[in-house]
Amino acid sequence: MAVEVQELSTSDSAALKRFVVLERTLVGANALFVSEIDADVLKCLSGRSKYYSEMEYTLFIALNNGQHVARCTALINHRFQQAKREALGFVGHFAAASDSSHAVRRMLEQAEVWLSERGVTRVVGPFNGAGNLGAGVLTAAFDEEPVFPFRWNPPYYASYFTDAGYAPTYPLWFYTVDFASDRYRDAERRVANRNSVRVRPINKRRWNQDLETVRVLFNESFEDEWEFAPLTSEEFHESFDEMKPMLDPHQMLIGEVSGQPAGFCLGFPDWTPLFRSFKGKLGIAQIIKFMLGAKRYKRAGLIAIGVRPSIKGTGLAHALAVTLYRRYQQYGLKEAFYYPVNEGNTRSRRFAEALGGTGRVLYHCYDKQ
């Protein structure tokens, strides 16, 4: 078996484009597959993304008998290392064909060598350099529709990591909240009796100011989570500015106590069918389709929530979550997601269960010393 691993130059535009479309080529025939947006990945890997301004990275492609069978990036996020005080590196943008375990192992070994030569002592993957750029590999429910922005992958992805000596260290829980459950109705009643907190939608006319408020609260809320490092204002705007015209302000909420911002909540419709139809492209036609279809969805969920520690116990978290879920009830939804939750975040898991959520582990991140 003739296996070759190539390191690609990030300045080679043709090689970058081959890298970006490879997963779609290898596994895109599956009906559940949802492609990344090519332009978004190219923006990161060409160094034009604000997220990559403090990253060091390279690209690898594995070939078997001259055929491309796998890809990955090796990444070092220096700000992440400083925040976590660990010489941590990442393997990201992972994709592979079936029956390619040997080629994948060779590719991951080469990525690990590249990282270790730059001082990395532990590797986590799949992880695209920052928590909100893509993390985790699907490890269950392979016959079910994935939930935006998480994606589908074949079952063998997980086995490729374990075959290469990686351990499934970071399970990600997904909860489904039933609006008819007794626990959810109890949460609604408790919120109705709380007069000390106020929840409001983000104000698009004060976009910069309100988005900065959400960013500060986001950074404070997630600083102890293993996959997050503080996000800059430029990174936050990169994530949300393009989404602004389609964003329902009632799904980006700010909670106030005594008139001061004290918590936030962010929800997303499940735009999986829309993004699947784009097949990696996002031109004029896709943008028009998105604008027309963004408010028509059958599933949605709460993807991030946080309150300042000093005001915990006021009921603000319940008020934020219930306000978001009431929005989904207005759209006719009978249930919604609460996701993703790190297994070690027992407070968030208990909160999801108090809202009537039932959970299961759907994704993992792996690590290796």
Side-chain angles (χ1 to χ4, degrees), residues 6-321:
Q6 297 177 352
E7 182 175 355
L8 306 181
S9 169
T10 57
S11 61
D12 185 339
S13 59
L16 277 175
K17 289 178 181 176
R18 288 197 304 272
F19 182 93
V20 168
V21 304
L22 183 58
E23 185 175 32
R24 194 160 63 243
T25 302
L26 297 177
V27 301
N30 190 287
L32 293 173
F33 176 76
V34 185
S35 178
E36 301 165 298
I37 298 298
D38 294 353
D40 291 345
V41 184
L42 281 170
K43 182 177 181 179
C44 288
L45 299 183
S46 62
R48 293 180 287 112
S49 168
K50 298 297 184 182
Y51 282 94
Y52 276 58
S53 62
E54 297 180 50
M55 285 199 212
E56 191 176 354
Y57 60 95
T58 193
L59 288 65
F60 294 100
I61 283 187
L63 297 87
N64 189 354
N65 293 321
Q67 299 295 314
H68 293 124
V69 295
R71 73 170 197 196
C72 76
T73 50
L75 309 105
I76 300 171
N77 184 331
H78 293 289
R79 181 151 35 92
F80 195 106
Q81 287 187 337
Q82 293 167 5
K84 302 303 182 183
R85 299 180 181 178
E86 182 184 2
L88 187 67
F90 304 116
V91 169
H93 302 95
F94 178 83
S98 60
D99 301 318
S100 302
S101 181
H102 178 60
V104 169
R105 190 162 57 249
R106 286 274 306 276
M107 179 183 70
L108 291 175
E109 287 171 354
Q110 201 150 323
E112 292 157 16
V113 168
W114 186 92
L115 290 166
S116 66
E117 289 175 345
R118 288 156 180 81
V120 168
T121 57
R122 187 166 70 95
V123 184
V124 171
F127 193 91
N128 294 346
N132 52 328
L133 292 182
V137 60
L138 183 68
T139 54
F142 297 104
D143 59 344
E144 297 180 19
E145 181 85 341
V147 185
F148 180 87
F150 286 79
R151 301 168 61 239
W152 179 90
N153 59 256
Y156 58 78
Y157 274 24
S159 66
Y160 284 166
F161 278 91
T162 55
D163 289 348
Y166 287 74
T169 307
Y170 301 109
L172 295 175
W173 284 75
F174 282 57
Y175 288 84
T176 301
V177 176
D178 180 0
F179 298 148
S181 69
D182 291 339
R183 284 179 294 171
Y184 180 75
R185 288 176 174 173
D186 182 58
E188 280 189 310
R189 284 191 292 270
R190 278 183 283 164
V191 168
N193 294 326
R194 299 274 186 174
N195 299 316
S196 59
V197 301
R198 173 177 177 252
V199 175
R200 66 173 177 87
I202 192 170
N203 187 337
K204 290 188 179 182
R205 290 193 296 270
R206 301 170 64 246
W207 176 255
N208 291 342
Q209 183 177 340
D210 272 4
L211 196 66
E212 180 64 12
T213 296
V214 173
R215 182 188 74 87
V216 171
L217 291 166
F218 180 93
N219 283 343
E220 290 180 9
S221 300
F222 289 94
E223 64 179 350
D224 293 331
E225 298 293 321
W226 72 265
E227 72 271 43
F228 285 99
L231 296 178
T232 66
S233 179
E234 291 79 9
E235 289 168 337
F236 224 66
H237 277 278
E238 183 174 312
S239 292
F240 290 103
D241 279 357
E242 291 184 359
M243 199 184 300
K244 180 182 175 182
M246 286 77 73
L247 180 71
D248 177 0
H250 293 276
Q251 295 185 56
M252 183 180 279
L253 304 172
I254 295 174
E256 298 175 346
V257 175
S258 300
Q260 297 300 313
F264 81 100
C265 182
L266 176 63
F268 270 130
D270 182 18
W271 287 324
T272 296
L274 270 174
F275 276 80
R276 180 181 289 119
S277 71
F278 297 162
K279 298 181 180 179
K281 310 303 178 187
L282 195 59
I284 300 276
Q286 289 80 19
I287 291 172
I288 293 172
K289 186 176 182 180
F290 190 23
M291 294 183 72
L292 293 174
K295 293 184 179 180
R296 296 196 297 267
Y297 51 87
K298 296 179 180 179
R299 304 191 303 173
L302 186 161
I303 198 168
I305 187 170
V307 297
R308 285 184 161 142
S310 60
I311 58 88
K312 286 179 179 176
T314 62
L316 180 58
H318 278 86
L320 285 162

